[in-house]
Amino acid sequence: ISTRASNILSSLGISSDGELNGVYDGHWHGSGEVIVSTCPTTGEELARIRTASKTELREALERTREAYTIFRNVPAPKRGEIVRRIREALAAKREDLGALVTLEMGKILTEGVGEVQEFVDICDYAVGLSRMMNGRVVASERPEHSILEVPNPLGVVAVLSAFNFPVAVYGWNLALSMAAGNATIWKPSPTTPLCSIAVTKIVSSVLEANGVPGAVASLVTGGKDTGEALVNDPSVELVSFTGSERVGRAVGQAVMSRFGKTILELGGNNASIIMPDADLSLAVPAVGFGAIGTAGQRCTSTRRLYLHRSIAPEFLERLQKLYQSIKPGDPLEQKTLLGPLHTRAACETYSGAIEHLKKVGSEILVGGKRFSDAPFGAGNFVEPAISVPKSVDVSDSIWTTEVFAPILNVGIFDELDQAIEWNNSVPQGLSSSLWTRDIRNVGKWIGPSGSDTGIVNVNVGTSGAEIGAAFGGNKSTGWGRESGGDAWKQYVRWSACTLNFSNQAPLAQGVNFSA
Ligand code: NAD
């Protein structure tokens, strides 16, 4: 492999010779099918990874459960202290790990490093949480009785993650899961195995150095079969799944059929609405970042733009200028703002979507082509596109489907109510953003007749959430919540405990059952 790729790998203690072990459950191994990690920027093969065989997966699950039975008895603040040490180890490798995210996933360096920072941030949050996962004392109707609501550790948490956030999504889950006293088993995307190996090396070194079983944070690389096996295994109490609506639907049904718990973080189809009183000098760059950032491969990417008729021409002119100023480049270079799509298949999806838009009469204002010549031809580079469909037909797949590529569809409205109706007309419900200075619009937007998404922003774009609030979406985005807010409450099992310290044994509701 290239010198720069091998330098990034060696900075994280990963060898670039031969096949790598893709399973960790206290020790490293791997004898299953081999998967290949490919660089989306250059097309070079970065590594070959031996994934988990069926037997290894079963054993990893057993070790993870054993680790849980030990870890659940460690007091929560002591667990928090381990998370704090993981935080320190991650922060020390922030730049190296961020560069690996860029190398393997393709997002630009500042975003790759930002993703590691997000893991660091959620560790800080979880350290605090480890002293604040409070239950409740509830008033009992019976004399000399108390009722406690106690949060106990839940068990084994399987994290199935998507390619586009190969580090942060696992971080959100691991940090809370550990604070809650669980053991976690991670199945990352089969196209970002190196990120998962690098993260697990950092996490496991802290666990092992502190006498904690490594299988508190197990890793099983693999594809669909490995994911399905975890989803169907009754020993997994919680499946936290991040990915497409199509796979999420199957995962949700499978886990529900065995009465397991899920957190589903699925596709988004996010809109920005621009009112006549919006500050365009803020709104234009925000829409640009939302639509072009991560080459349109965030679940929160801006995919629909609804412009008030009065500002539409000016907004579109300014937005096109911004699009034209953004050139593709090597995502590892500091100045690059547009990296590649993650896979060749994503380029096909992009081209197919552009063709379809043209066929049904959309005007493509800017973009729409793949870069096929050197130096970009070997990678998966495409031009971010702005399309103006003939009308906003809310039943048309143009508007209802998430295309995971940088394509922004524009509609023109006259009244805010109309724009909110369009915003809410899609199956997905992840993020949305309103640009206005009028408090009356704001009140409507965040209230009962407003946006129906999980993330409802005002003068802030659709993407780029902080970890403090619970993150997630409604409707076909899956209703899951991760990260901050009350998300931790899903990682514990709640025990309602009635304690009787009287010399009687009265029944509730005054029921009399004396013979
Ligand atoms: P994907 O659904 O193809 O894959 C997600 C994970 O599921 C991978 O680990 C994959 O190997 C695994 N998998 C595939 N088939 C499976 C099966 N039958 N059973 C169990 N696991 C299976 O998604 P992707 O292409 O990696 O990611 C892009 C999608 O993820 C987009 O739709 C994006 O919006 C979504 N996403 C959502 C969020 C969120 O927080 N809402 C965050 C990031 C990405």
Side-chain angles (χ1 to χ4, degrees):
I1 62 171
S2 61
T3 315
R4 71 175 194 169
S6 82
N7 286 346
I8 292 172
L9 291 180
S10 73
S11 72
L12 292 155
I14 298 175
S15 156
S16 41
D17 291 333
E19 290 173 354
L20 298 170
N21 286 322
V23 183
Y24 176 81
D25 54 3
H27 66 285
W28 286 94
H29 50 105
S31 62
E33 199 187 317
V34 172
I35 52 174
V36 176
S37 169
T38 306
C39 176
T41 306
T42 60
E44 77 172 310
E45 183 178 308
L46 296 171
R48 294 180 159 257
I49 292 96
R50 288 188 303 264
T51 61
S53 68
K54 279 201 173 109
T55 313
E56 285 175 316
L57 176 62
R58 205 181 51 247
E59 285 169 2
L61 270 166
E62 282 165 13
R63 298 220 169 87
T64 309
R65 177 146 294 276
E66 276 164 30
Y68 160 64
T69 60
I70 296 167
F71 200 54
R72 67 184 172 190
N73 293 318
V74 176
K78 294 263 183 318
R79 301 193 297 250
E81 173 58 16
I82 304 296
V83 175
R84 193 187 64 75
R85 291 179 191 185
I86 291 173
R87 179 244 188 256
E88 300 289 47
L90 282 164
K93 289 286 177 192
R94 181 173 16 227
E95 272 66 33
D96 296 330
L97 190 52
L100 178 61
V101 171
T102 296
L103 182 73
E104 191 179 43
M105 186 275 158
K107 64 176 66 175
I108 59 172
L109 192 57
T110 179
E111 293 189 58
V113 173
E115 203 179 318
V116 182
Q117 182 59 42
E118 212 167 332
F119 198 159
V120 169
D121 291 346
I122 194 69
C123 284
D124 282 338
Y125 184 92
V127 174
L129 196 61
S130 71
R131 290 181 183 269
M132 296 190 297
M133 290 182 295
N134 300 330
R136 279 199 293 203
V137 181
V138 178
S140 170
E141 67 191 41
R142 288 171 274 187
E144 295 177 281
H145 282 57
S146 273
I147 303 175
L148 312 181
E149 287 181 354
V150 180
N152 276 305
L154 181 64
V156 170
V157 177
V159 178
L160 276 57
S161 56
F163 76 82
N164 66 330
F165 276 90
V167 169
V169 163
Y170 176 62
W172 290 357
N173 282 283
L174 180 74
L176 296 199
S177 183
M178 280 189 70
N182 302 318
T184 306
I185 185 163
W186 181 18
K187 196 215 77 69
S189 166
T191 54
T192 55
L194 288 172
C195 288
S196 63
I197 289 171
V199 166
T200 301
K201 276 186 182 290
I202 293 170
V203 171
S204 64
S205 68
V206 176
L207 297 177
E208 289 172 13
N210 287 280
V212 176
V216 158
S218 298
L219 171 71
V220 282
T221 52
K224 178 173 181 267
D225 292 350
T226 310
E228 278 177 345
L230 286 171
V231 162
N232 290 316
D233 196 299
S235 74
V236 174
E237 273 83 359
L238 171 64
V239 175
S240 178
F241 175 85
T242 300
S244 60
E245 291 157 83
R246 184 183 62 77
V247 179
R249 185 186 302 274
V251 167
Q253 287 172 356
V255 178
M256 176 53 80
S257 75
R258 62 173 180 82
F259 299 116
K261 287 181 78 173
T262 51
I263 298 175
L264 300 176
E265 299 279 355
L266 313 179
N269 184 3
N270 318 292
S272 278
I273 298 175
I274 318 294
M275 295 299 285
D277 64 331
D279 184 336
L280 299 196
S281 67
L282 303 180
V284 171
V287 169
F289 173 68
I292 304 172
T294 331
Q297 300 167 103
R298 287 192 186 214
C299 52
T300 51
S301 289
T302 312
R303 311 214 176 273
R304 297 176 292 144
L305 174 63
Y306 299 131
L307 298 172
H308 191 271
R309 192 174 302 281
S310 63
I311 46 89
E314 185 188 349
F315 195 98
L316 284 176
E317 197 190 316
R318 287 166 76 161
L319 191 64
Q320 282 179 75
K321 270 206 190 108
L322 186 145
Y323 267 64
Q324 278 150 1
S325 73
I326 290 181
K327 305 289 176 218
D330 179 350
L332 281 164
E333 297 283 336
Q334 292 285 354
K335 61 179 192 325
T336 301
L337 295 181
L338 176 65
L341 292 180
H342 184 54
T343 59
R344 281 276 144 156
C347 294
E348 304 298 334
T349 304
Y350 167 87
S351 299
I354 295 284
E355 279 317 302
H356 176 71
L357 284 166
K358 284 184 181 160
K359 211 166 78 196
V360 298
S362 294
E363 191 186 350
I364 308 294
L365 296 183
V366 58
K369 291 193 205 64
R370 277 168 72 170
F371 293 94
S372 42
D373 299 334
F376 301 118
N380 310 319
F381 289 87
V382 301
E383 286 177 343
I386 304 176
S387 121
V388 186
K390 275 195 197 148
S391 66
V392 182
D393 172 356
V394 295
S395 61
D396 192 320
S397 65
I398 294 175
W399 297 101
T400 58
T401 317
E402 176 196 49
V403 176
F404 218 57
I407 302 175
L408 180 67
N409 283 310
V410 182
I412 314 285
F413 68 90
D414 293 294
E415 298 293 336
L416 176 58
D417 284 343
Q418 172 74 85
I420 293 178
E421 200 182 311
W422 290 347
N423 178 73
N424 294 352
S425 67
V426 298
Q428 308 81 359
L430 182 52
S431 184
S432 57
S433 144
L434 175 71
W435 292 80
T436 183
R437 294 291 190 199
D438 188 329
I439 188 83
R440 292 167 298 184
N441 297 334
V442 175
K444 176 174 278 185
W445 175 243
I446 66 171
S449 305
S451 173
D452 66 1
T453 61
I455 298 168
V456 181
N457 290 340
V458 178
N459 298 327
V460 171
T462 59
S463 70
E466 301 178 20
I467 59 103
F471 177 96
N474 304 335
K475 305 194 293 182
S476 75
T477 304
W479 302 100
R481 291 296 183 274
E482 280 179 358
S483 184
D486 282 340
W488 70 270
K489 293 183 176 172
Q490 303 161 104
Y491 296 80
V492 295
R493 69 175 159 77
W494 287 93
S495 311
C497 316
T498 306
L499 309 179
N500 175 7
F501 46 94
S502 75
N503 292 318
Q504 313 290 324
L507 296 170
Q509 293 90 40
V511 171
N512 188 352
F513 200 70
S514 47

